[in-house]
Amino acid sequence: MTLPTLELNWLAILAATASSFLLGGLWYGPLFKTRWCREAGVDPDAKPVHPGRVFATAIGCSFLAALMFAVFLPPNANAADGFGVGFVVGLFFVSMSFGINYAFAQRSLMLWMIDSGYHILQFALYGLILGAWK
């Protein structure tokens, strides 16, 4: 059995990875920081104990998610197709998985909406970038 050859656009994957950081900076910064911190029970002025580890983990996870999204995105997908697939993945895979966890953890609907909204847009951006950048 021969595995198919994957032709991946590594620059597009890196751009998609970077897009999650730009979006996260806006989403969890000026847009929702105060509300997210209140809902998550986090002190908005507290600094992470190991910020390097936090950011390294985040970039590693974002890179792997963008890489796997690129692998599973159909090769003939354009920007609109990619956006649509990303929206569906974000909404029905990531957001619904969070919904299960947040229900059992008894986290608020608002926290679920903030975190889910970020990931819906994150994957929609992945799809847009990867579909557009052939």
Side-chain angles (χ1 to χ4, degrees), residues 81-102:
D81 297 331
F83 181 88
V85 170
F87 183 84
V88 167
V89 167
L91 179 62
F92 293 106
F93 289 84
V94 180
S95 180
M96 294 304 118
S97 294
F98 276 179
I100 294 165
N101 290 1
Y102 282 28

Side-chain angles (χ1 to χ4, degrees), residues 17 37 50 60 67 70 74 81 90 100 115 121 131:
T17 301
C37 286
H50 299 287
L67 173 63
D81 297 331
I100 294 165
D115 286 338
L121 290 177

Side-chain angles (χ1 to χ4, degrees), residues 27-132:
W27 197 261
Y28 292 104
L31 293 176
F32 296 109
K33 179 180 181 176
T34 302
R35 187 70 187 255
W36 184 87
C37 286
R38 182 173 52 245
E39 296 294 325
V42 173
D43 177 0
D45 299 319
K47 303 292 183 216
V49 177
H50 299 287
R53 185 183 321 158
V54 170
F55 281 100
T57 299
I59 199 152
C61 291
S62 296
F63 173 75
L64 290 173
L67 173 63
M68 287 298 100
F69 194 91
V71 168
F72 285 104
L73 190 66
N76 61 343
N78 60 29
D81 297 331
F83 181 88
V85 170
F87 183 84
V88 167
V89 167
L91 179 62
F92 293 106
F93 289 84
V94 180
S95 180
M96 294 304 118
S97 294
F98 276 179
I100 294 165
N101 290 1
Y102 282 28
F104 279 98
Q106 299 180 9
R107 293 187 166 226
S108 72
L109 176 63
M110 180 57 65
L111 184 62
W112 176 68
M113 290 171 58
I114 293 169
D115 286 338
S116 292
Y118 165 76
H119 288 288
I120 293 166
L121 290 177
Q122 174 193 22
F123 279 92
L125 276 173
Y126 282 178
L128 179 70
I129 292 166
L130 295 167

